[in-house]
Amino acid sequence: MMKFRFRRQGTDPQREKIKQELFAFNKTVEHGFPHQPSALAYDPKLQFMAIGTKSGAIKIYGAPGVEFTGLHKDTTAVTQIHFLSGQGRLLSLLDDNTIHLWELVGGNPKEVGGVRREGVVSLQEVNSYNLPGRPGIESCSATRVTVLLLLKSCDLLCIGTEGGGAYFLEVPRLSLKDNQTLLQDEISQSLPDEYRCGKALGPVESLQEHPQQAGKILIGYSRGLVVLWDLSTRHADQLFLGKQQLESLVWERSGNLFVSSHNDGGYSVWAVTSDQSCNPLPVSSTIPYGPFPCKAINKILWRTTQSGSPLLLYSGGMPRATYGDRHCLTIQQDKDHITLDFTSRVIDFFTVHSVEQEKEFDDPSALVVLLEEELVVIDLQTPGWPSLPTPYLAPLHSSAITCSCHISNVPPKLWERLINAGKAQQGRQHAHRVGGSLHEDGTVRFWDASGVALTPLYKLSTANVFHTDCDPSDSQDLNDDPDMQQEEEWPPFKKVGCFDPYSDDPRLGIQKISLCKYSNKLVVAGTAGQVIVFGLSDERSDHLLDVSVMDLLQDREGFTWKGHDRLDLRLKPPPFPPGFQPLVLVQCMPPASVTAVALHAEWNLIAFGTSHGFGLFDYHRRNAVLARCTLHPNDSLAMEGPLSRVKSLKKSLRQSFRRIRKSRVSGKKRAISTPTSKVQEANAALAEHEDVAPVQRRIEPRSADDSLSGVVRCLCFADTFLRDGTHHGPTLWAGTNSGSVYAYALEVPGAGSGRMCERGGVNEAGMCVEAVLGKEIQLMHRAPVVSISVLDGQGKPLPDPYEASQDLASAPDMTNAHSVLIASEEQLKVFSLPKVSAKTKFKLTAHEGCRVRKVALVIFSSATQEDYNEHTLVCLTNLGDMHLFNMPGLRPQVRYDCIRKEDISGIASCVFTKTGQGFYLVSPSEYERFSLSAKVITEPLCSVLLDRLLDCKPTNSSAVKKYKLHTSLPRLSEDRERTSGSTM
């Protein structure tokens, strides 16, 4: 009997203490762009930006790494946000007509894993207010809130309503201020007879406080009427009788004029005087993109500059017939005019400018535009107004994310080369004014995942290798050039942003990726069976790409591919820029989507699998080593392809009823003697025991006739004992959807005894890699194989390629017998090698009623003992919970609820790090980061200097207290590891 070496688990109390020092579940931060943003605000004192979403979330962003998140109790859309400047407080208006006050609050110190940690600052709701009446009730619709204005004193909130009235709330108490309700009659009586339209003034569209005189506000009504109201005298100082439906208002810095925008695509400039109570005409009116009908200008900003010419910024206003579907924002200054053309709707925008009262000019430095799918920042101080790269909030979902991969402890040299390649890309993008390309177009994006902010590093596109029907011609390229458009077209469009929802060719989509951080080799596999090996280069290159075609069907009869065609290679691809450059392309035939990939750079081998089989390729010698077909005779769906598969509803129902009937009569069929295949005879020792414990569920075997049973789910390289117990060598393992496991012994030149190729040759260059089938295992219940991992003589995972040979990790134990861990959807099982006899197992489906979706081998370090760690198996199920097992005994350690079981895409997208953290998609544009480790955790490390009133009463004599809120966690060296992530 084989014995495993592992640390003593200790008695139960001791083991529980060790568990507390090793394991702790925390959801830490969210990476990416907020899903469905609906509101925007900016605090110039704290330099905070807040984004509200349709699901009721509020996210505050400061410098990179400073992030806070709050969530309303109801999943109602946030329509407006207003900061109490400098106080770390903000007000939110929800779509249900409620107003909420939020505050940054310091938490109490807590103990995690036996270590005392400082309290974490969080964003908490401290107060709320409901206006009389509820939306949807006709009699109370007059009190529905349309707009909020927080006065600069931050002690009074003005509320505009749909009925034309205005209310005033004391802040932070959120209580109605006595005698400060503005009635429509007070304004209607001041209007000229010819301008009156009954008693109703219409909804309040805009509220703006005078920039120089506190207590005076502009009240803009939907019908076009604008009132300058004095709060102290409760009197209208001046009326502006606009005749066009109003959209927004903005003050000029001196307060001598203001600008109104309207629904006809125009804007008007109004003069504010003290000797005229009623002003029927503006100073000027302009429809920038007229004279044909235009869409409304939704928002307008007017900023003064030292150059003398004001800067005008507004969204919308496009000609309705020709460009009514464009999402645009215009920037104008003197003769300079540019129309920013976005691919998603403009939510809101603001400028970063001087707000000090003693300053004479605004002098804006940047424009921040919140779009429905991304955040864009424009440099307003550089000629041409170029876009600026954002340190965070980059749109992960510029196209749909198809897979992710996390790399920990990236070597400094690779890190530096990636950053240099990324900087070179940014320079080219600014020169050509283009955005990022699509993930579905074969783009791989590299991100700095070592901190709170997910920062883009480098982008790799595989689309330039192939020719598609959507490739533009030279004449189209000329017409699409932004500089040519600016000279020839009106409006002068400039394409900005990198979000693009359209894919040129879905076959370019990337499905799997593998990176060797020591050899700088990268393997990218796609939807049309393309597998590309990349190498990292610091120089531009125009080399030709080597191509090899591998037939995975192996001339099997009776199968005809009905899916999409392979991608055509460009006859002369453009020169490859510095960064990862393609070396060789392996094309799988049929061109089905690649479902699994493995890379062993030390042996110069890649393995890949599809729904038809798997292949092995030597990319150094450009030699196909192995092609194995895994199709079952009934695998008809495997020949249709994901892009052309149209399943008949009747056929699906028929198959479902057949499965039910088979399940009901399975007991009778077991009594019938059937011939046993050679595979089952060879692996009879692996058959599952049918005796089921009272607490276990009986698991029915899956039918061999199920469609897509030949899909290759996982691939694994390992240096282990397969032929006998004394000689170890390279091996390849493959697991399929039908519970089959294939193990091949490899002969790799330089890694063992090699054989000469038939072509001859005496040196290593003349030797080729060979593969011989060593074991073939069939799991009895035919559950899909999710993961295969080989363990050394101490039950630890084998090190990655180059780690042992270059003394980057401890050498594996080759003196004791190895074992292999095979995780299927139903159970975890350890087999001894080379005999492949079952040692231990855990029937997850039978015990817990769930199925395995993701598996990872993780090393957990103690939070209190610096030299103590354990290798642990982490398992994510279809119910969204995490199960942790010790290695290699498979004894359950802890269980955590992590992802909602209804969140199928979140479960499917989950990836783990080697030190106990993980990521999964909580929306198409956001990753939730979590930690299972009590020691390794990523949370904000920051401090915030706030100005808060000691007295809640809004009096002039209230003292102001300045103090810092800290949010920090003690970090050890493992926590500061350099990591990167990539999304495709």
Side-chain angles (χ1 to χ4, degrees):
M1 180 176 178
M2 182 174 63
K3 295 183 179 179
F4 293 100
R5 292 181 179 178
F6 51 88
R7 294 180 181 270
R8 292 180 56 193
Q9 302 297 325
T11 60
D12 287 345
Q14 293 176 338
R15 183 58 193 166
E16 289 303 315
K17 181 181 179 182
I18 293 176
K19 287 182 183 179
Q20 293 177 6
E21 297 172 354
L22 292 174
F23 312 121
F25 177 72
N26 290 285
K27 290 187 178 181
T28 54
V29 296
E30 291 181 356
H31 298 300
F33 183 78
H35 184 50
Q36 295 182 327
S38 55
L40 177 68
Y42 177 62
D43 184 343
K45 285 188 178 181
L46 295 178
Q47 295 185 336
F48 274 170
M49 178 180 65
I51 295 177
T53 70
K54 290 184 178 180
S55 61
I58 292 181
K59 299 174 180 288
I60 296 180
Y61 303 92
V66 181
E67 296 183 13
F68 305 98
T69 301
L71 191 63
H72 291 88
K73 296 178 181 178
D74 298 326
T75 55
T76 307
V78 180
T79 58
Q80 293 184 48
I81 308 175
H82 298 270
F83 272 105
L84 278 68
S85 185
Q87 297 186 24
R89 293 170 174 156
L90 59 83
L91 291 162
S92 62
L93 171 65
L94 300 188
D95 196 41
D96 62 2
N97 220 39
T98 59
I99 299 172
H100 303 259
L101 176 65
W102 294 81
E103 185 175 289
L104 290 176
V105 179
N108 296 322
K110 60 180 180 179
E111 187 170 306
V112 178
V115 177
R116 185 177 177 83
R117 291 176 169 171
E118 293 184 23
V120 177
V121 175
S122 60
L123 183 63
Q124 296 183 11
E125 181 182 342
V126 295
N127 205 350
S128 63
Y129 180 79
N130 295 297
L131 274 177
R134 302 292 294 178
I137 303 177
E138 187 175 355
S139 61
C140 298
S141 62
T143 58
R144 179 166 180 81
V145 179
T146 56
V147 63
L148 299 179
L149 170 65
L150 182 64
L151 301 189
K152 293 179 182 179
S153 59
C154 294
D155 58 3
L156 202 60
L157 178 69
C158 182
I159 305 171
T161 66
E162 196 170 293
Y167 300 86
F168 295 88
L169 290 184
E170 292 181 339
V171 179
R173 293 181 176 180
L174 294 189
S175 58
L176 275 175
K177 188 171 178 62
D178 297 336
N179 302 321
Q180 282 292 348
T181 298
L182 182 63
L183 301 178
Q184 297 187 62
D185 294 342
E186 300 177 74
I187 297 177
S188 297
Q189 294 173 3
S190 304
L191 294 177
D193 293 340
E194 64 274 11
Y195 194 78
R196 292 182 184 177
C197 184
K199 293 184 178 181
L201 296 176
V204 178
E205 288 293 338
S206 183
L207 295 169
Q208 298 291 331
E209 186 179 9
H210 197 290
Q212 303 298 332
Q213 301 179 30
K216 289 189 177 183
I217 58 175
L218 278 180
I219 305 174
Y221 292 89
S222 178
R223 60 177 294 187
L225 170 66
V226 180
V227 179
L228 180 58
W229 185 262
D230 191 331
L231 292 178
S232 60
T233 63
R234 293 182 52 83
H235 180 265
D237 287 355
Q238 196 169 356
L239 302 176
F240 304 90
L241 309 181
K243 297 180 180 179
Q244 192 64 40
Q245 181 175 324
L246 182 70
E247 295 292 330
S248 72
L249 296 171
V250 62
W251 279 103
E252 187 264 346
R253 187 179 183 92
S254 67
N256 294 327
L257 58 85
F258 68 88
V259 184
S260 60
S261 68
H262 304 276
N263 76 329
D264 63 347
Y267 64 88
S268 300
V269 179
W270 301 81
V272 179
T273 60
S274 58
D275 58 350
Q276 190 177 6
S277 61
C278 187
N279 191 348
L281 296 175
V283 175
S284 64
S285 292
T286 306
I287 300 180
Y289 300 111
F292 298 106
C294 296
K295 300 196 73 174
I297 293 180
N298 303 309
K299 180 177 179 178
I300 190 167
L301 295 179
W302 179 292
R303 298 291 182 249
T304 58
T305 63
Q306 292 187 25
S307 63
S309 299
L311 191 71
L312 194 63
L313 311 99
Y314 53 88
S315 59
M318 290 294 102
R320 188 177 297 274
T322 52
Y323 300 112
D325 59 341
R326 298 284 187 101
H327 310 291
C328 298
L329 190 149
T330 300
I331 307 176
Q332 289 179 237
Q333 187 178 28
D334 200 11
K335 295 182 179 180
D336 295 327
H337 186 134
I338 201 166
T339 306
L340 305 178
D341 185 13
F342 305 107
T343 54
S344 59
R345 185 170 59 92
V346 177
I347 303 297
D348 201 353
F349 58 95
F350 64 85
T351 58
V352 179
H353 62 276
S354 174
V355 295
E356 292 83 359
Q357 285 292 114
E358 60 273 11
K359 295 293 182 64
E360 184 179 355
F361 301 101
D362 294 314
D363 286 330
S365 59
L367 166 67
V368 180
V369 186
L370 176 64
L371 305 166
E372 198 168 31
E373 302 293 350
E374 62 183 319
L375 185 81
V376 173
V377 181
I378 304 297
D379 184 356
L380 296 178
Q381 294 183 329
T382 302
W385 300 315
S387 59
L388 295 172
T390 56
Y392 46 76
L393 288 179
L396 305 175
H397 66 307
S398 55
S399 181
I401 298 173
T402 53
C403 68
S404 304
C405 175
H406 183 274
I407 310 297
S408 60
N409 295 318
V410 177
K413 185 63 176 177
L414 173 58
W415 189 270
E416 181 183 353
R417 296 175 71 182
L418 284 176
I419 290 177
N420 291 336
K423 288 180 179 179
Q425 281 182 337
Q426 291 179 5
R428 291 194 302 273
Q429 289 174 7
H430 286 308
H432 296 90
R433 297 184 177 93
V434 296
S437 56
L438 300 177
H439 299 158
E440 286 183 344
D441 282 346
T443 298
V444 182
R445 292 175 180 255
F446 292 77
W447 309 84
D448 180 359
S450 59
V452 174
L454 200 63
T455 308
L457 295 175
Y458 166 70
K459 178 181 62 183
L460 168 67
S461 177
T462 63
N464 57 357
V465 175
F466 303 101
H467 172 74
T468 65
D469 296 336
C470 298
D471 287 340
S473 62
D474 293 338
S475 60
Q476 288 174 324
D477 285 337
L478 183 64
N479 292 333
D480 289 339
D481 184 78
D483 293 331
M484 296 296 294
Q485 289 181 352
Q486 189 167 345
E487 294 177 5
E488 299 177 0
E489 290 190 6
W490 182 262
F493 288 117
K494 176 183 177 182
K495 205 165 188 63
V496 179
C498 60
F499 176 79
D500 194 338
Y502 305 106
S503 173
D504 289 342
D505 194 328
R507 295 176 296 172
L508 292 168
I510 296 172
Q511 298 299 321
K512 297 294 177 182
I513 185 172
S514 181
L515 172 66
C516 177
K517 59 188 177 184
Y518 302 113
S519 65
N520 302 330
K521 291 295 187 296
L522 173 69
V523 177
V524 174
T527 303
Q530 70 272 27
V531 182
I532 309 176
V533 181
F534 290 85
L536 189 61
S537 175
D538 298 326
E539 303 295 333
R540 185 183 178 94
S541 175
D542 56 357
H543 65 271
L544 295 177
L545 185 64
D546 292 326
V547 182
S548 180
V549 179
M550 292 189 67
D551 180 16
L552 298 183
L553 289 181
Q554 293 295 287
D555 300 325
R556 183 171 295 195
E557 299 180 355
F559 293 97
T560 303
W561 174 248
K562 303 175 184 178
H564 51 269
D565 295 331
R566 59 181 285 187
L567 285 163
D568 296 326
L569 219 64
R570 287 183 186 266
L571 297 179
K572 188 178 180 181
F576 302 111
F580 280 105
Q581 299 173 351
L583 303 176
V584 60
L585 165 67
V586 181
Q587 178 63 55
C588 301
M589 296 301 291
S593 179
V594 178
T595 56
V597 135
L599 165 67
H600 200 295
E602 199 167 5
W603 300 339
N604 299 314
L605 295 177
I606 57 170
F608 43 85
T610 70
S611 55
H612 307 123
F614 58 92
L616 179 64
F617 188 81
D618 182 348
Y619 61 83
H620 177 65
R621 299 170 182 81
R622 308 297 197 262
N623 181 41
V625 179
L626 167 70
R628 172 67 185 257
C629 182
T630 56
L631 279 177
H632 188 272
N634 294 329
D635 278 347
S636 58
L637 288 180
M639 305 309 295
E640 295 181 7
L643 302 180
S644 61
R645 187 180 304 152
V646 181
K647 294 178 66 177
S648 167
L649 178 60
K650 292 183 179 179
K651 182 178 179 180
S652 299
L653 291 173
R654 193 182 305 118
Q655 290 177 344
S656 299
F657 283 119
R658 284 177 179 174
R659 292 192 187 98
I660 294 174
R661 286 197 296 269
K662 286 180 181 179
S663 177
R664 289 176 177 174
V665 299
S666 59
K668 299 179 181 179
K669 288 188 177 181
R670 289 194 194 98
I672 301 175
S673 176
T674 57
T676 306
S677 66
K678 293 181 180 180
V679 174
Q680 290 172 329
E681 289 176 356
N683 299 283
L686 304 179
E688 307 289 346
H689 296 289
E690 292 300 319
D691 297 332
V692 180
V695 296
Q696 297 183 15
R697 299 165 176 81
R698 177 176 293 276
I699 308 301
E700 296 293 342
R702 305 190 186 194
S703 172
D705 296 337
D706 286 349
S707 299
L708 299 175
S709 60
V711 175
V712 178
R713 294 288 296 271
C714 58
L715 293 162
C716 170
F717 286 108
D719 183 359
T720 189
F721 302 89
L722 187 62
R723 291 174 173 171
D724 56 60
T726 56
H727 300 90
H728 63 86
T731 61
L732 170 66
W733 299 74
T736 72
N737 225 28
S738 60
S740 299
V741 177
Y742 305 91
Y744 281 82
L746 307 179
E747 294 189 6
V748 180
S753 59
R755 299 178 181 177
M756 298 295 180
C757 291
E758 295 180 0
R759 292 189 297 269
V762 294
N763 55 9
E764 186 179 312
M767 304 172 69
C768 60
V769 179
E770 292 188 359
V772 179
L773 181 63
K775 305 289 181 182
E776 189 171 341
I777 306 169
Q778 178 62 61
L779 302 182
M780 183 176 180
H781 287 163
R782 298 183 178 274
V785 179
V786 177
S787 173
I788 301 174
S789 302
V790 175
L791 310 178
D792 70 0
Q794 295 185 6
K796 297 179 180 179
L798 298 180
D800 291 336
Y802 288 109
E803 286 188 340
S805 61
Q806 298 185 8
D807 296 328
L808 300 171
S810 301
D813 183 359
M814 293 294 186
T815 58
N816 296 298
H818 285 196
S819 56
V820 59
L821 168 65
I822 299 178
S824 72
E825 283 192 358
E826 296 178 357
Q827 69 176 359
L828 313 170
K829 199 164 188 177
V830 176
F831 301 91
S832 64
L833 291 177
K835 293 183 178 180
V836 195
S837 58
K839 299 301 298 181
T840 183
K841 63 184 175 182
F842 186 86
K843 297 181 178 180
L844 195 66
T845 302
H847 284 284
E848 306 291 340
C850 54
R851 296 187 183 278
V852 178
R853 287 291 178 260
K854 301 280 183 174
V855 167
L857 298 177
V858 176
I859 183 167
F860 286 90
S861 300
S862 172
T864 57
Q865 305 177 47
E866 201 164 327
D867 60 342
Y868 183 79
N869 56 65
E870 290 185 5
H871 290 274
T872 304
L873 176 68
V874 178
C875 173
L876 172 65
T877 74
N878 64 321
L879 301 182
D881 50 1
M882 299 281 183
H883 295 259
L884 277 64
F885 302 88
N886 78 325
M887 296 290 294
L890 297 183
R891 284 190 291 273
Q893 301 299 300
V894 291
R895 173 191 169 278
Y896 301 113
D897 292 325
C898 182
I899 310 174
R900 293 183 301 107
K901 64 180 180 181
E902 297 84 7
D903 189 2
I904 299 175
S905 62
I907 295 173
S909 64
C910 185
V911 293
F912 298 98
T913 75
K914 290 188 175 182
T915 55
Q917 296 190 79
F919 306 80
Y920 68 92
L921 287 171
V922 289
S923 73
S925 60
E926 292 173 289
Y927 276 109
E928 176 79 61
R929 187 171 190 150
F930 63 89
S931 177
L932 301 171
S933 171
K935 181 178 183 181
V936 182
I937 185 170
T938 302
E939 284 189 336
L941 288 167
C942 61
S943 62
V944 183
L945 180 62
L946 305 177
D947 294 343
R948 292 260 177 95
L949 293 177
L950 291 174
D951 185 3
C952 288
K953 297 179 181 179
T955 62
N956 295 330
S957 60
S958 296
V960 176
K961 177 183 179 182
K962 290 181 179 289
Y963 61 97
K964 280 188 177 182
L965 285 181
H966 294 272
T967 170
S968 61
L969 293 170
R971 301 297 180 93
L972 299 177
S973 57
E974 288 83 1
D975 304 317
R976 292 194 296 267
E977 66 179 5
R978 178 168 287 170
T979 61
S980 69
S982 60
T983 60
M984 282 60 68

